[in-house]
Amino acid sequence: MTAPANNDGLMEELVGLCKRRGFIFPSSEIYGGYNGFFDYGPLGVELRNNIKHAWWRDFVQRRDDIEGLDSSIIMHPAIWKASGHVDGFSDPMIDCKESKLRYRADQLFFHPVVLDGESVGYVALVEGAGAAEQIKRAKKLRDLLDRKQSTLDEAQLAGTVEAAEASAEQREQTLGPDATAAGTLTEPREFKLMFETKVGPLADDSATAYLRPETAQGIFANYKNVVDTGRVKIPFGIAQIGKAFRNEITPRNFIFRSREFEQMEIEYFIAPEADWQGLHRQWLDTCIDWLVSIGLPRESITEDVHPQDKLAFYSRATTDLMFHFPHGEQELWGIACRSDYDLNQHQEHSGKSMEIFDEAAKAKYVPHVIEPSLGVDRTLLAILSAAYTEDEVPNDKGKAEKRTLLKFHPRIAPYKAAVFPLLKNKPELVERARALYERLQKRWNVFYDASGAIGRRYRRQDEIGTPFGITIDFDTIEKDGTVTLRDRDSCEQRRLSEDELITFLDEQIDG
Ligand code: ATP
């Protein structure tokens, strides 16, 4: 079994499959789409809900030390002032004076171009651009310099300069990613990422509010409420799932970076003297285990430890869990030790005490936090890319046929099973299949399909990741009441009774 060798190809396949089978559509498509926004179709919303449900179940309902929360998206603007977002939540951006496009400085790289051994300038490429694109742009620069006959040293393209670090002279000699002449890129400038809106009847500055760029501040703002009304004791966490909005300048790589997305965040409050390194490690392991439990291969997950000199002054450590996405290894889950910075900021700005009394230690303090922060959409993209498989299986006539399948874990698959009567024109088969379908539907999202050859029906389900196919045939009716259960990945079939089937599905789906 193979995934397509070329990862750019994999992303294209995923985008096509998601559109074709109703997982994800570009937002506002009938008006030409809207960059950075996506709509989740009938299968996408199921997958998305299953991811969120699995997370909520494992991190909130199955733990005694974490409570749930659902705070408003628009909150008092003072929260964003206190958190530092109003003044500091920005990205350094580089503009192209020619194409009018804007790039994130930390995602733009200048690659030196060497012709006949002589360094002649740079081509700027956005992170993740492939080797073919680099060579194409380097040849474009060679043409611009009127040196068509010169030999391009392709090996030299590998050396890079981060755009943010480039000198004015280097910028002058650089061909931007979408430019037709060199020297069109500006120096990095700060660009605010929060979406603004107006609340109330006034249109002046006093009415300015923000769409939240993270769910975390809703947790900090409610920390006192949870402490005062619940039975929490240190260490404990507050978890929230919800929409976040960022005016990303370069939304791209499908749903990896969008302007409206959803986060699943936890603030885990610990004593200032706690072994935060040990707890941080525990959180990393718990998060990795969870990703594996919903079907991501362990070997696709790595850790990126942020260097101490790049951390914010209040941060003690941050490690990102990286996933091997089709466009490269990128952040999936950020796990940060944020000290007591956020609570202290809110204590200072609101004038309300954020201290907790620690019964065990008989001490009063503002707790520190560990913050595991995960994107729903990035998780969904990771799951799709890990699940996408192409292989060959025998068709109804026994001939090998290419098939595409999504190997979703049963827990998160949109449909858990599909029920088929072997033939649609035999009422006794149809009746029995419908009855089983309705029985299963009481517990799970299942699919009923009576049309077409049975092999075609299996194939349609494989492509949307339904793990189990259940067929009602004449043996079911005339002999022992057993049904055929077909496994999506191995295509193996076996017979079992309806009660055995329910027990099996229960184990596979609900664990
Ligand atoms: P990046 O460096 O990729 O912009 P970040 O470090 O700013 O991400 P955080 O602020 O730590 O991200 O957000 C926590 C999580 O939210 C990320 O790990 C990611 O899963 C998700 N996330 C952040 N920005 C986006 C986005 N624009 N689109 C989709 N998911 C996002």
Side-chain angles (χ1 to χ4, degrees):
M1 288 198 197
T2 53
N6 177 332
N7 274 343
D8 288 348
L10 173 58
M11 191 66 113
E12 264 173 45
E13 294 288 343
L14 289 179
V15 174
L17 176 64
C18 283
K19 170 91 205 304
R20 198 167 66 242
R21 299 308 311 264
F23 282 93
I24 304 170
F25 309 122
S27 166
S28 322
E29 203 183 4
I30 54 170
Y31 292 98
Y34 203 41
N35 200 9
F37 298 90
F38 292 91
D39 296 339
Y40 286 81
L43 292 177
V45 67
E46 292 295 334
L47 185 57
R48 201 180 162 78
N49 283 344
N50 293 344
I51 292 170
K52 290 193 281 183
H53 183 69
W55 187 88
W56 194 260
R57 196 93 191 90
D58 292 345
F59 287 102
V60 182
Q61 297 175 338
R62 284 187 177 147
R63 290 184 65 134
D64 294 334
D65 58 344
I66 300 186
E67 303 282 328
L69 177 81
D70 190 4
S71 69
S72 62
I73 286 177
I74 297 180
M75 300 189 289
H76 196 295
I79 288 180
W80 304 109
K81 186 79 189 153
S83 68
H85 283 81
V86 170
D87 299 320
F89 193 53
S90 56
D91 272 338
M93 306 302 308
I94 289 177
D95 288 309
C96 174
K97 288 182 267 188
E98 181 198 324
S99 66
K100 306 291 175 223
L101 290 172
R102 191 168 262 180
Y103 311 93
R104 254 176 73 164
D106 65 340
Q107 291 172 358
L108 197 65
F109 295 91
F110 292 3
H111 303 265
V113 175
V114 176
L115 296 179
D116 295 335
E118 180 199 350
S119 183
V120 294
Y122 301 84
V123 285
L125 291 165
V126 175
E127 188 181 37
E133 178 66 13
Q134 280 194 32
I135 292 169
K136 196 171 118 205
R137 297 299 290 165
K139 287 185 175 159
K140 170 92 187 158
L141 182 66
R142 181 176 67 178
D143 294 351
L144 280 173
L145 296 171
D146 227 359
R147 292 183 53 167
K148 283 203 174 74
Q149 310 309 326
S150 309
T151 308
L152 172 70
D153 186 342
E154 293 182 9
Q156 288 296 320
L157 284 164
T160 54
V161 179
E162 282 182 36
E165 317 266 289
S167 67
E169 194 188 339
Q170 284 171 324
R171 267 197 310 280
E172 267 315 298
Q173 301 173 349
T174 299
L175 176 65
D178 301 280
T180 58
T184 64
L185 298 176
T186 65
E187 325 176 19
R189 288 187 286 229
E190 290 300 318
F191 181 87
K192 294 221 176 294
L193 291 175
M194 276 204 296
F195 280 106
E196 284 187 12
T197 186
K198 299 282 180 198
V199 171
L202 297 177
D204 63 11
D205 282 353
S206 69
T208 300
Y210 305 95
L211 301 193
R212 68 178 176 206
E214 60 173 34
T215 59
Q217 293 306 321
I219 298 180
F220 291 122
N222 280 284
Y223 151 84
K224 269 240 82 70
N225 286 332
V226 175
V227 168
D228 292 347
T229 54
R231 283 173 306 157
V232 294
K233 57 177 198 304
I234 292 278
F236 75 96
I238 305 178
Q240 166 155 241
I241 300 181
K243 289 270 181 166
F245 304 82
R246 294 182 189 179
N247 195 6
E248 298 277 3
I249 293 311
T250 41
R252 63 202 164 88
N253 295 319
F254 198 25
I255 53 169
F256 178 82
R257 184 178 303 289
S258 47
R259 290 178 167 141
E260 175 176 338
F261 55 99
E262 207 160 2
Q263 291 184 311
M264 306 188 275
E265 295 196 294
I266 296 169
E267 296 302 335
Y268 196 73
F269 299 97
I270 59 172
E273 307 306 328
D275 166 22
W276 60 271
Q277 280 111 328
L279 287 164
H280 190 213
R281 185 64 250 166
Q282 257 179 34
W283 268 106
L284 285 164
D285 293 338
T286 304
C287 294
I288 293 172
D289 288 349
W290 188 78
L291 292 173
V292 172
S293 81
I294 57 162
L296 296 188
R298 177 65 189 86
E299 61 277 13
S300 299
I301 305 164
T302 55
E303 294 178 21
D304 178 33
V305 181
H306 291 209
Q308 281 294 326
D309 60 344
K310 292 262 163 79
L311 292 176
F313 69 91
Y314 52 79
S315 183
R316 287 167 145 182
T318 295
T319 301
D320 293 334
L321 294 183
M322 313 290 281
F323 181 77
H324 199 83
F325 287 97
H327 58 287
E329 193 153 277
Q330 297 278 334
E331 174 181 337
L332 171 59
W333 203 333
I335 297 149
C337 297
R338 291 180 62 88
S339 73
D340 54 0
Y341 174 76
D342 300 270
L343 285 182
N344 269 335
Q345 285 294 103
H346 289 301
Q347 177 166 277
E348 198 180 298
H349 284 248
S350 68
K352 306 275 184 324
S353 165
M354 295 291 157
E355 287 181 329
I356 191 169
F357 183 70
D358 182 337
E359 290 283 352
K362 299 274 175 270
K364 213 174 177 194
Y365 52 73
V366 174
H368 286 218
V369 289
I370 294 178
E371 178 190 83
S373 174
L374 174 66
V376 175
D377 312 78
R378 279 191 196 176
T379 309
L380 199 141
L381 181 60
I383 283 173
L384 277 171
S385 30
Y388 186 91
T389 311
E390 290 172 1
D391 67 1
E392 278 193 356
V393 289
N395 66 12
D396 287 337
K397 297 187 182 76
K399 248 183 85 189
E401 192 179 76
K402 203 180 138 207
R403 80 168 172 161
T404 300
L405 69 158
L406 289 173
K407 289 186 172 180
F408 291 141
H409 190 287
R411 196 173 176 202
I412 52 136
Y415 289 113
K416 309 303 181 192
V419 181
F420 314 114
L422 185 63
L423 299 168
K424 73 170 174 195
N425 51 5
K426 296 282 172 206
E428 61 275 34
L429 293 182
V430 169
E431 206 176 295
R432 186 69 175 255
R434 290 287 315 177
L436 177 60
Y437 166 65
E438 279 160 27
R439 183 175 173 196
L440 297 179
Q441 205 180 28
K442 289 203 175 83
R443 290 200 50 192
W444 299 293
N445 194 35
V446 287
F447 193 82
Y448 176 82
D449 187 4
S451 60
I454 194 76
R456 292 274 310 280
R457 282 184 263 167
Y458 284 146
R459 222 73 85 235
R460 281 202 293 264
Q461 294 304 312
D462 293 343
E463 207 189 9
I464 59 171
T466 308
F468 307 110
I470 301 155
T471 305
I472 308 294
D473 56 20
F474 291 106
D475 279 2
T476 318
I477 310 225
E478 291 161 9
K479 279 168 88 182
D480 50 7
T482 59
V483 300
T484 303
L485 174 77
R486 176 219 184 233
D487 180 87
R488 173 198 61 206
D489 302 346
S490 66
C491 296
E492 268 163 27
Q493 304 192 4
R494 65 193 169 104
R495 297 199 73 94
L496 68 186
S497 74
E498 286 192 15
D499 287 343
E500 285 168 342
L501 172 74
I502 305 254
T503 310
F504 172 80
L505 291 178
D506 195 35
E507 274 165 16
Q508 296 291 313
I509 300 162
D510 298 327

